[in-house]
Amino acid sequence: MPEPTASAIAVPSDDPKKKKTEETEEKDKDKKEGSSKLKDGEKEGEDMSEEDIQLKNELEMLVERLKEPNTDLHRPALETLRTLIRTSTSSMTSVPKPLKFLRPHYPDLQTLYETWPPSEDKSLFADILSVLAMTYSDTQPRGTLRYRLLSASLVPASSPLSEPGSWGHEYVRHLAAELGEEYSSRVEDEGDTPEEAAEKEKEKEKVADGDKEKDGEEKKEKPVVKVVIEASNEELQALGMQCAVFLLAHNAEPDAVDLLEELEIVDRIAELVDENTYARVCAYMIRCVNLLPPPDDISFLRAAHTIYVQHSKFPEALGLSIRLGDPDLIRQDFNAPGNPLMKRQLAFLLARAQVPIEWLQPPSENADGDADITFQDDLPEDLLECLSNSKLSVHFKEFGKEVGVADAKSLEDVYKSHLENTRAGATANVDSARANLAGTFVNAFVNAGFGNDKLMVEAEEGNSWIYKNKDHGMMSAAASLGLSLLWDTDVGLSHVDKYTYSSEEHIKAGALFATGLLNTGVRTEADAALALLGDYVDNKSVPLKTSAIMGLGLAYAGSHREDLLPLLLQHVADDSVSMEIASLSALAIGFVFVGSGSGDVAGTILQTLMEREDKYLDEKWARFMVLGLAFLYLGLQDGSDATIETLKTIEHPISKQAQILVETCSFAGTGNVLRIQAMLHHCDEHVQNDKEKEKEKEENKDDKDKEEKKDEPKIDDTFQAFAVLGIALIAMGEDIGAEMSMRQFNHLMHYGDPIIRKTVPLALGLVSASNPVLPVLDTLSKYSHDNDLAVALNAIFAMGLVGAGTNNARLAQMLRQLAGYYYKEPDCLFMVRIAQGLVHMGKGTIGLNPFFSDRNIMSRPAVAGLLATLTAFTDAKAFVLDKYHWMLYFLVTAMYPRFLITLNEELLSVPVTVRVGQAVDVVGQAGKPRTISGFQTHQTPVRLGTTERAELATEEFIPFAHVLEGFVVLQKNPGWEKEDKMEV
């Protein structure tokens, strides 16, 4: 290869002397680095202008000067070299000329450098070699870093070393890359034992010796590796900080964050940012969190939190504290601002996240109940009102009027059965009790929160919808009052009260459950739910007992109320009560203490799982007990390790279900890839095939044995259902992971066992709750016609979840077609009706998506509600289609209005012009790009979809919140009117 090129170089030469020097140089170059750089030489000969030739000769003369023994000439020569290199780095597209011409001399200069005595001149020489080393990064890795550090070590204390940025952006990027490589290679080597390290050294030497034989010039390779190690990690980190300062000043915030992350000092970025860069740095760091492995994700959140606190960005800081789930940080952030309006805004944010009010209380020495009461009295009335969500109902009803959906909808308005293409007379087959039961739920979900539906709230005495249902249907019908009067604690209780005196047990039970439902997410001074339901927890009647227990669980979801423990824990620990009551008590405690990691509760549930006999743990209810345990660790990541280890000691198959649930809940919404892979491993076991093999072995034995063998593996494969849901649970917090999980679900649907196939639609529903994207809708539509009715049923319910509260017309049409398709299948038809109710939830104003604040913060009670409902669907025949259809009401903790309401200083609604459009991710983009696309302009209050974002259309008001969503407190912009007049 080199010969023809060499001849090509010789052709255009015009100066015979120069030809010789060039040829020898080219040959030397070939020796040094093979033919990789010949193209430069080719060009050099072809089109070198006079300026280039002059520059080349000047550089060669300077190099010769450095080789002379007279040391007085060295300093000026180095200064000139430095000036030439610095002034020529203007072109972005090509290699700077001085670097190109000095490249052949680099090995000679290296040899020369070693011969100089330590001095300031030698430091400058090392600095220049550090820049030249960029051209040799392929054959001598980390040369730039090596000479930079040598230069720093030689410079006298009186004259500081030039900043890395003085050599330009490319040099800093090069240096940053080498810093990262060096640091990570050290971290890898640190774990080695001395023997392993010695072996690695030997291998390196062997390689180096081999290179030496091949290539005479590689003598310098060995010392490079050894010298770099001399600098301490602290020196590397200090140099990294210098580079980061330069990168932050030149709009390369992501590069700066990445460099500090590689050097494990990302927490020190707070020292470097200023008011111009902090917003971009934090935005980038927060976007990285989902892609980082623990514990880096937590350190990123903490670092961003520190920066926001430094710059007094309280809502952003509080949002990160809520994500971290750290009571101390939340308390500090809440108490930090002095402005009462800002405090109200923070209170709204805490109320939305359902953070326990007790967390805001300063920790006292004597932990008694009185301190708690006085603390709540100390809070100003207006703050307590914001924190306890007590005005949510009033604002929601006003919002309904503004948007024009205040009037109650009838069932026919939702079903639109005149559009269904069923054959005439075909409806006679429908089980009317089933149809009425479906009507109960549809009415409850569609009119939720408005408190004016015709069937229940406004029905005349004795003509209530309750009496159109039988037995257990009556319970759900009475409970639907709670949904209809959601959040309205005053009016709601008076409506429900009359049913608590009913002689019919089921109606009374429903009324108790309704009391719990309507208090969900709202805190009141009266504590009505506890007062009314506390007495029934020990009632002899099972329906009354279970509704009181679950009512308390939902009413106080996420509140971490210690005073509920004695009421509920006794049933978990009591061996004499049925598994149903024990499991529902565990679930209720799970709801109340969601994400608390409470040791008392976990210990009690674990003890019960260990002590209960196998026949009890085989029951269908056991899954709710382990779910209650899993809720305690929701979002705690590694906090559940000890519990998982304890669960491994339980010999019953339930142990595997529990391990999976606890692990997936701990990492809910984190997008942790390794955990998702672990769940996929659980899904690839074919439990059923093993069962068939066992059957063949057992054929000779008697029938009874055969029966037992049949049952055992059947229970054993429930864990796969939770593994599938687990994939969705972990992936749902982050868009890329959620999209990738779709593909996995597709594979599971093709190759999985029946238990996996019927859970996949539920997982799809969880991944995009209240976010009807087309690919998911089409997939679910396909599954809803599956031959296996269990799959179809779950797919129909998942369609309801995906479209919950969106009024999606395409989805409504699909469900109408399904109603016609399944007119002879009462179970599926029942599910279609419920899905229709979910799609029109709150007449299109209430969503189920557990993420809020620009989909950054995950509401733990909401995730718990969704997961509990889906767990009931892992065996729909045994729960929702049996007597326990009231489990659909578990969704209530996830139900929240999708609105933006702007409030003035007095917390009264004030109409403002806003633009609403699809949210666009602008992290890391240059300048100030638009954050929404395809927007429309509206007056507040306005409804926001799951993936939508709002921004104020004018600068008349200054919002206190960083994300316009939910309740936003505004303040008049004092400089607004003056600008207006100037325009005129």
Side-chain angles (χ1 to χ4, degrees):
M1 168 90 195
E3 287 78 23
T5 332
S7 61
I9 285 169
V11 174
S13 163
D14 26 76
D15 182 345
K17 273 185 198 168
K18 196 162 154 283
K19 179 170 73 174
K20 266 185 192 165
T21 55
E22 246 180 56
E23 269 178 22
T24 50
E25 251 177 51
E26 280 306 318
K27 278 177 192 161
D28 284 358
K29 217 181 198 179
D30 282 10
K31 269 186 206 162
K32 283 168 210 156
E33 75 232 41
S35 55
S36 65
K37 307 283 179 189
L38 275 173
K39 286 181 187 159
D40 286 353
E42 213 174 293
K43 276 190 188 163
E44 238 172 78
E46 278 170 21
D47 50 337
M48 272 178 60
S49 62
E50 281 183 25
E51 287 170 18
D52 288 357
I53 294 169
Q54 188 186 339
L55 175 65
K56 188 163 192 271
N57 292 340
E58 191 180 346
L59 289 168
E60 278 169 7
M61 181 194 71
L62 290 169
V63 172
E64 289 305 319
R65 282 241 182 107
L66 292 177
K67 291 178 184 170
E68 286 174 23
N70 182 355
T71 51
D72 297 345
L73 295 172
H74 292 170
R75 184 78 189 183
L78 288 169
E79 294 283 359
T80 319
L81 263 179
R82 178 165 68 179
T83 317
L84 284 172
I85 294 173
R86 280 194 184 162
T87 50
S88 70
T89 49
S90 55
S91 164
M92 288 284 287
T93 48
S94 57
V95 180
K97 287 278 176 2
L99 292 188
K100 191 165 153 187
F101 297 145
L102 284 169
R103 192 171 192 285
H105 302 290
Y106 178 67
D108 302 346
L109 291 173
Q110 276 182 302
T111 321
L112 183 63
Y113 170 81
E114 300 300 339
T115 62
W116 281 24
S119 64
E120 196 173 341
D121 291 355
K122 188 169 182 177
S123 167
L124 181 54
F125 193 4
D127 210 11
I128 290 170
L129 280 177
S130 168
V131 181
L132 292 182
M134 292 203 298
T135 59
Y136 260 80
S137 56
D138 49 353
T139 52
Q140 296 187 18
R142 306 211 261 285
T144 305
L145 176 61
R146 175 195 172 208
Y147 283 114
R148 174 79 203 178
L149 290 167
L150 284 173
S151 173
S153 63
L154 292 165
V155 76
S158 54
S159 59
L161 184 67
S162 63
E163 287 287 315
S166 60
W167 291 108
H169 202 276
E170 195 51 47
Y171 174 73
V172 176
R173 287 184 55 182
H174 208 90
L175 195 55
E178 293 192 357
L179 268 170
E181 282 170 27
E182 171 60 25
Y183 194 86
S184 51
S185 75
R186 283 186 185 196
V187 173
E188 280 166 28
D189 295 347
E190 263 172 30
D192 298 346
T193 58
E195 294 81 32
E196 284 174 3
E199 268 177 38
K200 276 191 182 175
E201 271 305 310
K202 276 181 200 163
E203 272 174 33
K204 274 184 193 168
E205 278 172 30
K206 271 184 205 164
V207 173
D209 292 344
D211 287 354
K212 217 187 271 182
E213 286 160 24
K214 283 182 217 161
D215 201 334
E217 278 301 324
E218 286 296 6
K219 281 182 205 129
K220 310 299 173 299
E221 186 64 64
K222 246 168 75 183
V224 170
V225 178
K226 284 183 181 163
V227 174
V228 170
I229 293 170
E230 279 176 21
S232 66
N233 283 358
E234 285 69 34
E235 286 176 73
L236 291 183
Q237 290 173 340
L239 181 55
M241 291 289 274
Q242 283 183 318
C243 293
V245 170
F246 174 84
L247 292 167
L248 285 172
H250 292 79
N251 296 331
E253 292 91 351
D255 297 350
V257 174
D258 293 345
L259 173 60
L260 296 187
E261 155 68 0
E262 281 184 297
L263 298 178
E264 297 181 350
I265 45 170
V266 80
D267 47 337
R268 288 175 61 189
I269 196 161
E271 305 161 22
L272 309 179
V273 293
D274 58 20
E275 65 273 7
N276 300 322
T277 53
Y278 81 89
R280 292 169 62 84
V281 167
C282 288
Y284 178 71
M285 288 175 76
I286 291 165
R287 288 297 287 182
C288 287
V289 169
N290 284 328
L291 310 173
L292 289 167
D296 291 350
D297 51 355
I298 302 293
S299 59
F300 260 54
L301 282 175
R302 287 195 183 277
H305 177 267
T306 311
I307 296 172
Y308 278 139
V309 171
Q310 276 176 8
H311 292 89
S312 301
K313 289 288 174 190
F314 301 115
E316 289 93 328
L318 185 63
L320 295 182
S321 304
I322 294 170
R323 279 183 74 168
L324 285 161
D326 183 330
D328 297 336
L329 279 183
I330 290 176
R331 185 172 59 251
Q332 288 162 20
D333 292 342
F334 181 67
N335 293 325
N339 184 339
L341 293 176
M342 177 56 92
K343 277 204 118 148
R344 287 177 193 173
Q345 184 62 67
L346 297 184
F348 279 129
L349 186 57
L350 289 173
R352 172 68 182 97
Q354 289 173 303
V355 168
I357 296 182
E358 291 72 29
W359 283 9
L360 303 177
Q361 178 185 351
S364 55
E365 289 75 41
N366 56 336
D368 59 354
D370 301 341
D372 182 30
I373 294 161
T374 52
F375 161 70
Q376 293 211 11
D377 292 344
D378 291 348
L379 274 178
E381 187 67 29
D382 58 333
L383 272 188
L384 201 55
E385 201 172 89
C386 302
L387 277 169
S388 56
N389 252 341
S390 50
K391 285 274 184 283
L392 180 61
S393 175
V394 178
H395 282 298
F396 178 63
K397 286 175 181 169
E398 275 178 21
F399 166 64
K401 278 183 197 142
E402 289 285 338
V403 187
V405 292
D407 299 337
K409 273 194 167 188
S410 68
L411 297 181
E412 189 46 43
D413 293 341
V414 178
Y415 297 160
K416 302 201 168 122
S417 44
H418 61 282
L419 297 174
E420 288 172 17
N421 47 2
T422 43
R423 274 147 285 177
T427 46
N429 191 14
V430 174
D431 169 4
S432 73
R434 205 19 111 60
N436 286 353
L437 183 61
T440 303
F441 288 104
V442 173
N443 176 54
F445 284 128
V446 171
N447 296 306
F450 288 101
N452 62 356
D453 70 291
K454 299 283 183 282
L455 301 186
M456 291 292 307
V457 181
E458 301 201 341
E460 290 131 33
E461 194 63 43
N463 200 14
S464 163
W465 185 255
I466 293 182
Y467 305 111
K468 297 218 168 87
N469 288 282
K470 290 187 196 144
D471 304 339
H472 49 81
M474 286 179 159
M475 178 183 163
S476 283
S480 72
L481 263 177
L483 220 51
S484 187
L485 298 157
L486 197 56
W487 309 309
D488 190 349
T489 44
D490 306 336
V491 179
L493 287 173
S494 59
H495 271 290
V496 174
D497 189 52
K498 60 184 178 208
Y499 292 110
T500 54
Y501 304 114
S502 168
S503 55
E504 178 65 56
E505 196 176 46
H506 290 292
I507 295 180
K508 194 169 183 179
L512 295 178
F513 197 39
T515 310
L517 288 177
L518 61 86
N519 278 294
T520 303
V522 182
R523 311 264 174 273
T524 53
E525 280 177 50
D527 244 355
L530 183 55
L532 294 169
L533 301 180
D535 308 342
Y536 288 97
V537 172
D538 297 324
N539 200 298
K540 287 192 175 60
S541 151
V542 174
L544 294 182
K545 200 170 192 170
T546 51
S547 357
I549 289 170
M550 280 327 300
L552 283 173
L554 295 176
Y556 295 103
S559 68
H560 298 198
R561 286 275 295 266
E562 294 288 338
D563 50 347
L564 294 172
L565 271 184
L567 277 176
L568 299 171
L569 259 187
Q570 53 176 1
H571 294 306
V572 179
D574 187 354
D575 281 350
S576 60
V577 301
S578 70
M579 202 61 193
E580 175 181 354
I581 287 169
S583 298
L584 287 176
S585 302
L587 184 64
I589 294 179
F591 269 117
V592 176
F593 288 91
V594 63
S596 68
S598 163
D600 301 350
V601 181
T604 310
I605 298 178
L606 282 168
Q607 200 176 342
T608 307
L609 289 173
M610 287 174 184
E611 290 173 0
R612 281 257 174 175
E613 292 173 34
D614 281 6
K615 65 173 183 187
Y616 291 115
L617 294 179
D618 290 345
E619 283 186 35
K620 61 182 180 182
W621 288 102
R623 67 191 70 193
F624 284 108
M625 185 173 279
V626 292
L627 187 64
L629 176 64
F631 283 167
L632 299 175
Y633 297 103
L634 194 63
L636 294 191
Q637 299 210 4
D638 300 331
S640 62
D641 290 353
T643 306
I644 292 176
E645 288 307 315
T646 316
L647 284 167
K648 285 177 183 167
T649 61
I650 299 173
E651 286 164 9
H652 190 273
I654 190 100
S655 148
K656 200 160 185 185
Q657 297 175 32
Q659 287 168 42
I660 289 174
L661 271 172
V662 172
E663 187 179 342
T664 50
C665 280
S666 309
F667 288 89
T670 56
N672 187 313
V673 182
L674 296 174
R675 307 287 163 169
I676 292 179
Q677 286 172 351
M679 291 305 123
L680 285 167
H681 280 301
H682 287 304
C683 295
D684 68 8
E685 297 173 33
H686 285 292
V687 184
Q688 300 296 332
N689 295 357
D690 305 344
K691 187 169 73 173
E692 275 150 31
K693 284 177 200 161
E694 272 177 27
K695 258 193 200 167
E696 284 166 26
K697 283 184 199 167
E698 292 295 324
E699 235 143 51
N700 310 335
K701 294 197 177 180
D702 60 5
D703 290 351
K704 194 178 172 194
D705 266 16
K706 234 175 170 180
E707 270 306 302
E708 280 173 21
K709 279 289 167 199
K710 225 189 220 168
D711 280 359
E712 231 174 331
K714 191 176 174 195
I715 292 165
D716 210 355
D717 65 1
T718 315
F719 72 87
Q720 294 188 314
F722 292 126
V724 177
L725 285 178
I727 296 170
L729 191 61
I730 297 169
M732 70 178 173
E734 175 250 333
D735 296 341
I736 301 164
E739 216 164 294
M740 284 159 66
S741 68
M742 299 288 185
R743 183 149 176 231
Q744 304 299 350
F745 291 141
N746 205 6
H747 292 319
L748 290 174
M749 204 62 186
H750 278 234
Y751 307 115
D753 289 340
I755 180 92
I756 292 177
R757 291 191 73 239
K758 76 175 185 189
T759 320
V760 167
L762 299 175
L764 284 169
L766 183 58
V767 163
S768 54
S770 285
N771 184 14
V773 280
L774 277 179
V776 181
L777 287 187
D778 290 343
T779 310
L780 287 174
S781 177
K782 188 172 78 189
Y783 295 158
S784 64
H785 295 79
D786 198 275
N787 294 335
D788 180 352
L789 280 183
V791 175
L793 192 92
N794 285 355
I796 296 167
F797 178 66
M799 288 165 92
L801 279 186
V802 169
T806 58
N807 281 352
N808 188 299
R810 185 190 184 113
L811 191 49
Q813 177 57 30
M814 283 180 189
L815 290 169
R816 280 198 293 273
Q817 281 173 338
L818 283 169
Y821 183 76
Y822 283 122
Y823 75 101
K824 279 190 174 161
E825 287 288 342
D827 286 348
C828 291
L829 186 59
F830 174 68
M831 221 63 248
V832 172
R833 296 304 183 208
I834 289 194
Q836 285 177 311
L838 288 173
V839 170
H840 297 284
M841 184 186 281
K843 288 169 269 196
T845 57
I846 295 179
L848 285 180
N849 197 295
F851 291 89
F852 63 97
S853 185
D854 238 350
R855 289 189 299 157
N856 278 330
I857 307 175
M858 179 179 83
S859 163
R860 289 173 180 176
V863 175
L866 285 167
L867 199 54
T869 317
L870 294 178
T871 304
F873 273 92
T874 52
D875 190 351
K877 279 267 184 287
F879 294 111
V880 181
L881 300 176
D882 193 28
K883 293 188 293 218
Y884 307 103
H885 29 74
W886 51 265
M887 288 187 172
L888 286 166
Y889 292 130
F890 286 157
L891 288 173
V892 72
T893 57
M895 290 167 61
Y896 205 85
R898 305 291 332 213
F899 56 34
L900 160 61
I901 292 182
T902 44
L903 306 170
N904 61 12
E905 284 104 334
E906 282 78 53
L907 297 188
L908 300 170
S909 181
V910 50
V912 180
T913 317
V914 289
R915 291 193 280 261
V916 180
Q918 285 298 314
V920 180
D921 183 16
V922 294
V923 173
Q925 287 186 17
K928 289 191 175 173
R930 282 246 168 257
T931 53
I932 56 175
S933 72
F935 59 82
Q936 295 178 325
T937 309
H938 296 284
Q939 286 277 88
T940 57
V942 58
R943 181 193 177 281
L944 293 179
T946 304
T947 55
E948 288 179 333
R949 188 182 284 161
E951 53 185 43
L952 293 179
T954 62
E955 290 178 11
E956 187 178 353
F957 291 95
I958 303 168
F960 280 96
H962 62 302
V963 177
L964 297 191
E965 199 175 291
F967 295 110
V968 176
V969 182
L970 300 178
Q971 193 176 28
K972 197 89 165 141
N973 184 349
W976 165 249
E977 286 171 55
K978 294 168 196 164
E979 288 173 25
D980 227 349
K981 283 173 189 161
M982 281 170 72
E983 278 174 28
V984 172

